[in-house]
PDB file of all heavy atoms in Angstrom:
ATOM      1  N   ASP A  32      93.760  99.436  84.939  1.00  0.00           N
ATOM      2  CA  ASP A  32      94.767  99.514  83.881  1.00  0.00           C
ATOM      3  C   ASP A  32      96.100  98.899  84.292  1.00  0.00           C
ATOM      4  O   ASP A  32      96.829  98.388  83.448  1.00  0.00           O
ATOM      5  CB  ASP A  32      94.968 100.986  83.488  1.00  0.00           C
ATOM      6  CG  ASP A  32      95.029 101.182  81.992  1.00  0.00           C
ATOM      7  OD1 ASP A  32      94.505 100.330  81.258  1.00  0.00           O
ATOM      8  OD2 ASP A  32      95.600 102.192  81.561  1.00  0.00           O
ATOM      9  N   LEU A  33      96.462  98.942  85.568  1.00  0.00           N
ATOM     10  CA  LEU A  33      97.752  98.435  86.017  1.00  0.00           C
ATOM     11  C   LEU A  33      97.682  96.984  86.468  1.00  0.00           C
ATOM     12  O   LEU A  33      98.589  96.205  86.180  1.00  0.00           O
ATOM     13  CB  LEU A  33      98.297  99.294  87.161  1.00  0.00           C
ATOM     14  CG  LEU A  33      99.653  98.870  87.737  1.00  0.00           C
ATOM     15  CD1 LEU A  33     100.749  99.023  86.696  1.00  0.00           C
ATOM     16  CD2 LEU A  33      99.981  99.691  88.967  1.00  0.00           C
ATOM     17  N   SER A  34      96.624  96.595  87.132  1.00  0.00           N
ATOM     18  CA  SER A  34      96.599  95.279  87.763  1.00  0.00           C
ATOM     19  C   SER A  34      95.678  94.269  87.084  1.00  0.00           C
ATOM     20  O   SER A  34      96.009  93.095  87.028  1.00  0.00           O
ATOM     21  CB  SER A  34      96.165  95.419  89.222  1.00  0.00           C
ATOM     22  OG  SER A  34      97.065  96.246  89.910  1.00  0.00           O
ATOM     23  N   ILE A  35      94.555  94.712  86.589  1.00  0.00           N
ATOM     24  CA  ILE A  35      93.569  93.755  86.076  1.00  0.00           C
ATOM     25  C   ILE A  35      93.713  93.559  84.570  1.00  0.00           C
ATOM     26  O   ILE A  35      93.831  92.431  84.087  1.00  0.00           O
ATOM     27  CB  ILE A  35      92.143  94.212  86.439  1.00  0.00           C
ATOM     28  CG1 ILE A  35      92.009  94.300  87.954  1.00  0.00           C
ATOM     29  CG2 ILE A  35      91.103  93.273  85.846  1.00  0.00           C
ATOM     30  CD1 ILE A  35      90.763  94.991  88.432  1.00  0.00           C
ATOM     31  N   ARG A  36      93.710  94.642  83.807  1.00  0.00           N
ATOM     32  CA  ARG A  36      93.736  94.553  82.348  1.00  0.00           C
ATOM     33  C   ARG A  36      94.946  93.791  81.809  1.00  0.00           C
ATOM     34  O   ARG A  36      94.798  92.996  80.868  1.00  0.00           O
ATOM     35  CB  ARG A  36      93.673  95.966  81.772  1.00  0.00           C
ATOM     36  CG  ARG A  36      93.511  95.999  80.291  1.00  0.00           C
ATOM     37  CD  ARG A  36      93.277  97.414  79.804  1.00  0.00           C
ATOM     38  NE  ARG A  36      93.513  97.487  78.392  1.00  0.00           N
ATOM     39  CZ  ARG A  36      94.056  98.514  77.783  1.00  0.00           C
ATOM     40  NH1 ARG A  36      94.406  99.586  78.468  1.00  0.00           N
ATOM     41  NH2 ARG A  36      94.244  98.506  76.496  1.00  0.00           N
ATOM     42  N   PRO A  37      96.167  93.965  82.370  1.00  0.00           N
ATOM     43  CA  PRO A  37      97.301  93.189  81.849  1.00  0.00           C
ATOM     44  C   PRO A  37      97.135  91.675  81.987  1.00  0.00           C
ATOM     45  O   PRO A  37      97.758  90.913  81.254  1.00  0.00           O
ATOM     46  CB  PRO A  37      98.485  93.684  82.679  1.00  0.00           C
ATOM     47  CG  PRO A  37      98.102  95.056  83.079  1.00  0.00           C
ATOM     48  CD  PRO A  37      96.621  94.997  83.301  1.00  0.00           C
ATOM     49  N   HIS A  38      96.262  91.217  82.883  1.00  0.00           N
ATOM     50  CA  HIS A  38      96.056  89.782  83.034  1.00  0.00           C
ATOM     51  C   HIS A  38      95.191  89.201  81.924  1.00  0.00           C
ATOM     52  O   HIS A  38      95.032  87.976  81.858  1.00  0.00           O
ATOM     53  CB  HIS A  38      95.463  89.471  84.414  1.00  0.00           C
ATOM     54  CG  HIS A  38      96.472  89.588  85.501  1.00  0.00           C
ATOM     55  ND1 HIS A  38      97.478  88.675  85.683  1.00  0.00           N
ATOM     56  CD2 HIS A  38      96.681  90.534  86.436  1.00  0.00           C
ATOM     57  CE1 HIS A  38      98.236  89.037  86.688  1.00  0.00           C
ATOM     58  NE2 HIS A  38      97.766  90.176  87.164  1.00  0.00           N
ATOM     59  N   PHE A  39      94.668  90.042  81.048  1.00  0.00           N
ATOM     60  CA  PHE A  39      93.956  89.548  79.882  1.00  0.00           C
ATOM     61  C   PHE A  39      94.911  89.170  78.759  1.00  0.00           C
ATOM     62  O   PHE A  39      94.497  88.561  77.779  1.00  0.00           O
ATOM     63  CB  PHE A  39      92.929  90.573  79.384  1.00  0.00           C
ATOM     64  CG  PHE A  39      91.714  90.650  80.263  1.00  0.00           C
ATOM     65  CD1 PHE A  39      91.545  91.698  81.143  1.00  0.00           C
ATOM     66  CD2 PHE A  39      90.752  89.663  80.228  1.00  0.00           C
ATOM     67  CE1 PHE A  39      90.436  91.773  81.970  1.00  0.00           C
ATOM     68  CE2 PHE A  39      89.639  89.721  81.044  1.00  0.00           C
ATOM     69  CZ  PHE A  39      89.476  90.781  81.919  1.00  0.00           C
ATOM     70  N   VAL A  40      96.181  89.540  78.894  1.00  0.00           N
ATOM     71  CA  VAL A  40      97.203  89.075  77.957  1.00  0.00           C
ATOM     72  C   VAL A  40      97.493  87.630  78.334  1.00  0.00           C
ATOM     73  O   VAL A  40      97.745  87.315  79.503  1.00  0.00           O
ATOM     74  CB  VAL A  40      98.487  89.937  78.060  1.00  0.00           C
ATOM     75  CG1 VAL A  40      99.572  89.393  77.162  1.00  0.00           C
ATOM     76  CG2 VAL A  40      98.184  91.390  77.737  1.00  0.00           C
ATOM     77  N   SER A  41      97.470  86.758  77.355  1.00  0.00           N
ATOM     78  CA  SER A  41      97.615  85.332  77.654  1.00  0.00           C
ATOM     79  C   SER A  41      98.998  85.023  78.228  1.00  0.00           C
ATOM     80  O   SER A  41      99.983  85.709  77.943  1.00  0.00           O
ATOM     81  CB  SER A  41      97.377  84.495  76.400  1.00  0.00           C
ATOM     82  OG  SER A  41      98.443  84.688  75.494  1.00  0.00           O
ATOM     83  N   ARG A  42      99.037  83.978  79.008  1.00  0.00           N
ATOM     84  CA  ARG A  42     100.307  83.526  79.586  1.00  0.00           C
ATOM     85  C   ARG A  42     101.276  83.111  78.478  1.00  0.00           C
ATOM     86  O   ARG A  42     102.478  83.327  78.587  1.00  0.00           O
ATOM     87  CB  ARG A  42     100.056  82.368  80.545  1.00  0.00           C
ATOM     88  CG  ARG A  42     101.330  81.867  81.198  1.00  0.00           C
ATOM     89  CD  ARG A  42     101.038  80.883  82.272  1.00  0.00           C
ATOM     90  NE  ARG A  42     100.661  81.646  83.456  1.00  0.00           N
ATOM     91  CZ  ARG A  42     100.069  81.137  84.504  1.00  0.00           C
ATOM     92  NH1 ARG A  42      99.756  79.870  84.523  1.00  0.00           N
ATOM     93  NH2 ARG A  42      99.779  81.886  85.545  1.00  0.00           N
ATOM     94  N   ALA A  43     100.741  82.558  77.396  1.00  0.00           N
ATOM     95  CA  ALA A  43     101.591  82.171  76.267  1.00  0.00           C
ATOM     96  C   ALA A  43     102.263  83.392  75.653  1.00  0.00           C
ATOM     97  O   ALA A  43     103.447  83.336  75.266  1.00  0.00           O
ATOM     98  CB  ALA A  43     100.763  81.431  75.220  1.00  0.00           C
ATOM     99  N   GLU A  44     101.537  84.490  75.549  1.00  0.00           N
ATOM    100  CA  GLU A  44     102.115  85.724  75.001  1.00  0.00           C
ATOM    101  C   GLU A  44     103.216  86.261  75.919  1.00  0.00           C
ATOM    102  O   GLU A  44     104.269  86.719  75.449  1.00  0.00           O
ATOM    103  CB  GLU A  44     101.022  86.771  74.808  1.00  0.00           C
ATOM    104  CG  GLU A  44     101.501  88.102  74.299  1.00  0.00           C
ATOM    105  CD  GLU A  44     102.010  88.060  72.865  1.00  0.00           C
ATOM    106  OE1 GLU A  44     101.745  87.084  72.147  1.00  0.00           O
ATOM    107  OE2 GLU A  44     102.693  89.015  72.461  1.00  0.00           O
ATOM    108  N   ILE A  45     102.996  86.208  77.228  1.00  0.00           N
ATOM    109  CA  ILE A  45     104.007  86.664  78.185  1.00  0.00           C
ATOM    110  C   ILE A  45     105.248  85.789  78.070  1.00  0.00           C
ATOM    111  O   ILE A  45     106.379  86.292  78.044  1.00  0.00           O
ATOM    112  CB  ILE A  45     103.438  86.648  79.623  1.00  0.00           C
ATOM    113  CG1 ILE A  45     102.263  87.627  79.751  1.00  0.00           C
ATOM    114  CG2 ILE A  45     104.522  86.934  80.641  1.00  0.00           C
ATOM    115  CD1 ILE A  45     102.610  89.078  79.523  1.00  0.00           C
ATOM    116  N   ARG A  46     105.052  84.479  77.966  1.00  0.00           N
ATOM    117  CA  ARG A  46     106.195  83.563  77.806  1.00  0.00           C
ATOM    118  C   ARG A  46     106.932  83.834  76.511  1.00  0.00           C
ATOM    119  O   ARG A  46     108.164  83.777  76.465  1.00  0.00           O
ATOM    120  CB  ARG A  46     105.716  82.116  77.853  1.00  0.00           C
ATOM    121  CG  ARG A  46     105.319  81.671  79.226  1.00  0.00           C
ATOM    122  CD  ARG A  46     104.861  80.232  79.207  1.00  0.00           C
ATOM    123  NE  ARG A  46     104.417  79.822  80.523  1.00  0.00           N
ATOM    124  CZ  ARG A  46     103.471  78.941  80.743  1.00  0.00           C
ATOM    125  NH1 ARG A  46     102.865  78.349  79.730  1.00  0.00           N
ATOM    126  NH2 ARG A  46     103.126  78.631  81.974  1.00  0.00           N
ATOM    127  N   ARG A  47     106.196  84.104  75.436  1.00  0.00           N
ATOM    128  CA  ARG A  47     106.828  84.403  74.144  1.00  0.00           C
ATOM    129  C   ARG A  47     107.692  85.653  74.247  1.00  0.00           C
ATOM    130  O   ARG A  47     108.817  85.688  73.749  1.00  0.00           O
ATOM    131  CB  ARG A  47     105.765  84.578  73.053  1.00  0.00           C
ATOM    132  CG  ARG A  47     106.370  84.797  71.658  1.00  0.00           C
ATOM    133  CD  ARG A  47     105.324  85.301  70.677  1.00  0.00           C
ATOM    134  NE  ARG A  47     104.755  86.588  71.065  1.00  0.00           N
ATOM    135  CZ  ARG A  47     105.369  87.763  70.927  1.00  0.00           C
ATOM    136  NH1 ARG A  47     106.593  87.827  70.450  1.00  0.00           N
ATOM    137  NH2 ARG A  47     104.764  88.873  71.292  1.00  0.00           N
ATOM    138  N   MET A  48     107.161  86.683  74.913  1.00  0.00           N
ATOM    139  CA  MET A  48     107.932  87.915  75.087  1.00  0.00           C
ATOM    140  C   MET A  48     109.194  87.647  75.901  1.00  0.00           C
ATOM    141  O   MET A  48     110.277  88.145  75.565  1.00  0.00           O
ATOM    142  CB  MET A  48     107.073  88.986  75.766  1.00  0.00           C
ATOM    143  CG  MET A  48     105.949  89.519  74.909  1.00  0.00           C
ATOM    144  SD  MET A  48     104.828  90.619  75.809  1.00  0.00           S
ATOM    145  CE  MET A  48     105.857  92.048  76.040  1.00  0.00           C
ATOM    146  N   ALA A  49     109.070  86.846  76.953  1.00  0.00           N
ATOM    147  CA  ALA A  49     110.232  86.509  77.788  1.00  0.00           C
ATOM    148  C   ALA A  49     111.250  85.710  76.985  1.00  0.00           C
ATOM    149  O   ALA A  49     112.467  85.969  77.079  1.00  0.00           O
ATOM    150  CB  ALA A  49     109.783  85.732  79.022  1.00  0.00           C
ATOM    151  N   ASP A  50     110.780  84.760  76.175  1.00  0.00           N
ATOM    152  CA  ASP A  50     111.698  83.967  75.343  1.00  0.00           C
ATOM    153  C   ASP A  50     112.458  84.850  74.357  1.00  0.00           C
ATOM    154  O   ASP A  50     113.663  84.685  74.165  1.00  0.00           O
ATOM    155  CB  ASP A  50     110.930  82.890  74.579  1.00  0.00           C
ATOM    156  CG  ASP A  50     110.404  81.783  75.481  1.00  0.00           C
ATOM    157  OD1 ASP A  50     110.939  81.622  76.595  1.00  0.00           O
ATOM    158  OD2 ASP A  50     109.450  81.095  75.054  1.00  0.00           O
ATOM    159  N   GLU A  51     111.745  85.771  73.710  1.00  0.00           N
ATOM    160  CA  GLU A  51     112.391  86.674  72.763  1.00  0.00           C
ATOM    161  C   GLU A  51     113.449  87.539  73.445  1.00  0.00           C
ATOM    162  O   GLU A  51     114.542  87.741  72.906  1.00  0.00           O
ATOM    163  CB  GLU A  51     111.360  87.583  72.089  1.00  0.00           C
ATOM    164  CG  GLU A  51     110.556  86.909  71.020  1.00  0.00           C
ATOM    165  CD  GLU A  51     109.577  87.865  70.357  1.00  0.00           C
ATOM    166  OE1 GLU A  51     109.656  89.101  70.612  1.00  0.00           O
ATOM    167  OE2 GLU A  51     108.735  87.389  69.586  1.00  0.00           O
ATOM    168  N   LEU A  52     113.120  88.044  74.616  1.00  0.00           N
ATOM    169  CA  LEU A  52     114.080  88.875  75.347  1.00  0.00           C
ATOM    170  C   LEU A  52     115.305  88.078  75.762  1.00  0.00           C
ATOM    171  O   LEU A  52     116.435  88.571  75.677  1.00  0.00           O
ATOM    172  CB  LEU A  52     113.418  89.507  76.568  1.00  0.00           C
ATOM    173  CG  LEU A  52     112.496  90.669  76.247  1.00  0.00           C
ATOM    174  CD1 LEU A  52     111.576  90.948  77.410  1.00  0.00           C
ATOM    175  CD2 LEU A  52     113.309  91.899  75.903  1.00  0.00           C
ATOM    176  N   LEU A  53     115.101  86.844  76.209  1.00  0.00           N
ATOM    177  CA  LEU A  53     116.237  85.999  76.584  1.00  0.00           C
ATOM    178  C   LEU A  53     117.100  85.674  75.372  1.00  0.00           C
ATOM    179  O   LEU A  53     118.327  85.670  75.467  1.00  0.00           O
ATOM    180  CB  LEU A  53     115.748  84.713  77.244  1.00  0.00           C
ATOM    181  CG  LEU A  53     115.286  84.860  78.691  1.00  0.00           C
ATOM    182  CD1 LEU A  53     114.601  83.591  79.159  1.00  0.00           C
ATOM    183  CD2 LEU A  53     116.464  85.214  79.590  1.00  0.00           C
ATOM    184  N   ALA A  54     116.464  85.424  74.231  1.00  0.00           N
ATOM    185  CA  ALA A  54     117.226  85.110  73.018  1.00  0.00           C
ATOM    186  C   ALA A  54     118.007  86.332  72.533  1.00  0.00           C
ATOM    187  O   ALA A  54     119.150  86.218  72.081  1.00  0.00           O
ATOM    188  CB  ALA A  54     116.277  84.628  71.920  1.00  0.00           C
ATOM    189  N   ARG A  55     117.404  87.501  72.636  1.00  0.00           N
ATOM    190  CA  ARG A  55     118.034  88.720  72.126  1.00  0.00           C
ATOM    191  C   ARG A  55     119.059  89.302  73.094  1.00  0.00           C
ATOM    192  O   ARG A  55     120.110  89.777  72.671  1.00  0.00           O
ATOM    193  CB  ARG A  55     116.952  89.756  71.830  1.00  0.00           C
ATOM    194  CG  ARG A  55     117.486  90.975  71.083  1.00  0.00           C
ATOM    195  CD  ARG A  55     116.405  91.960  70.723  1.00  0.00           C
ATOM    196  NE  ARG A  55     115.320  91.292  70.013  1.00  0.00           N
ATOM    197  CZ  ARG A  55     114.048  91.657  70.093  1.00  0.00           C
ATOM    198  NH1 ARG A  55     113.690  92.664  70.856  1.00  0.00           N
ATOM    199  NH2 ARG A  55     113.122  91.025  69.409  1.00  0.00           N
ATOM    200  N   HIS A  56     118.761  89.267  74.397  1.00  0.00           N
ATOM    201  CA  HIS A  56     119.604  89.978  75.361  1.00  0.00           C
ATOM    202  C   HIS A  56     120.303  89.073  76.372  1.00  0.00           C
ATOM    203  O   HIS A  56     121.104  89.565  77.175  1.00  0.00           O
ATOM    204  CB  HIS A  56     118.770  91.019  76.117  1.00  0.00           C
ATOM    205  CG  HIS A  56     118.175  92.051  75.220  1.00  0.00           C
ATOM    206  ND1 HIS A  56     118.918  93.049  74.637  1.00  0.00           N
ATOM    207  CD2 HIS A  56     116.902  92.215  74.798  1.00  0.00           C
ATOM    208  CE1 HIS A  56     118.126  93.801  73.891  1.00  0.00           C
ATOM    209  NE2 HIS A  56     116.895  93.321  73.968  1.00  0.00           N
ATOM    210  N   GLY A  57     119.973  87.803  76.395  1.00  0.00           N
ATOM    211  CA  GLY A  57     120.634  86.869  77.301  1.00  0.00           C
ATOM    212  C   GLY A  57     120.452  87.248  78.758  1.00  0.00           C
ATOM    213  O   GLY A  57     119.337  87.470  79.229  1.00  0.00           O
ATOM    214  N   SER A  58     121.566  87.349  79.470  1.00  0.00           N
ATOM    215  CA  SER A  58     121.507  87.604  80.913  1.00  0.00           C
ATOM    216  C   SER A  58     121.015  89.014  81.248  1.00  0.00           C
ATOM    217  O   SER A  58     120.659  89.279  82.393  1.00  0.00           O
ATOM    218  CB  SER A  58     122.881  87.380  81.535  1.00  0.00           C
ATOM    219  OG  SER A  58     123.815  88.294  80.987  1.00  0.00           O
ATOM    220  N   ARG A  59     120.988  89.915  80.264  1.00  0.00           N
ATOM    221  CA  ARG A  59     120.514  91.285  80.501  1.00  0.00           C
ATOM    222  C   ARG A  59     119.013  91.430  80.281  1.00  0.00           C
ATOM    223  O   ARG A  59     118.476  92.536  80.375  1.00  0.00           O
ATOM    224  CB  ARG A  59     121.234  92.257  79.573  1.00  0.00           C
ATOM    225  CG  ARG A  59     122.710  92.402  79.895  1.00  0.00           C
ATOM    226  CD  ARG A  59     123.341  93.553  79.147  1.00  0.00           C
ATOM    227  NE  ARG A  59     122.681  94.812  79.495  1.00  0.00           N
ATOM    228  CZ  ARG A  59     122.366  95.738  78.593  1.00  0.00           C
ATOM    229  NH1 ARG A  59     122.615  95.559  77.321  1.00  0.00           N
ATOM    230  NH2 ARG A  59     121.786  96.856  78.978  1.00  0.00           N
ATOM    231  N   ALA A  60     118.315  90.337  80.011  1.00  0.00           N
ATOM    232  CA  ALA A  60     116.884  90.408  79.682  1.00  0.00           C
ATOM    233  C   ALA A  60     116.073  91.069  80.796  1.00  0.00           C
ATOM    234  O   ALA A  60     115.229  91.918  80.523  1.00  0.00           O
ATOM    235  CB  ALA A  60     116.343  89.016  79.382  1.00  0.00           C
TER     236      ALA A  60
END
Side-chain angles (χ1 to χ4, degrees):
D32 224 23
L33 180 65
S34 300
I35 300 168
R36 188 173 163 216
H38 285 288
F39 286 104
V40 176
S41 70
R42 181 172 279 165
E44 178 68 15
I45 297 297
R46 287 180 183 148
R47 184 194 61 76
M48 291 173 71
D50 290 339
E51 283 182 9
L52 284 162
L53 283 170
R55 189 177 307 148
H56 299 287
S58 62
R59 292 191 60 223

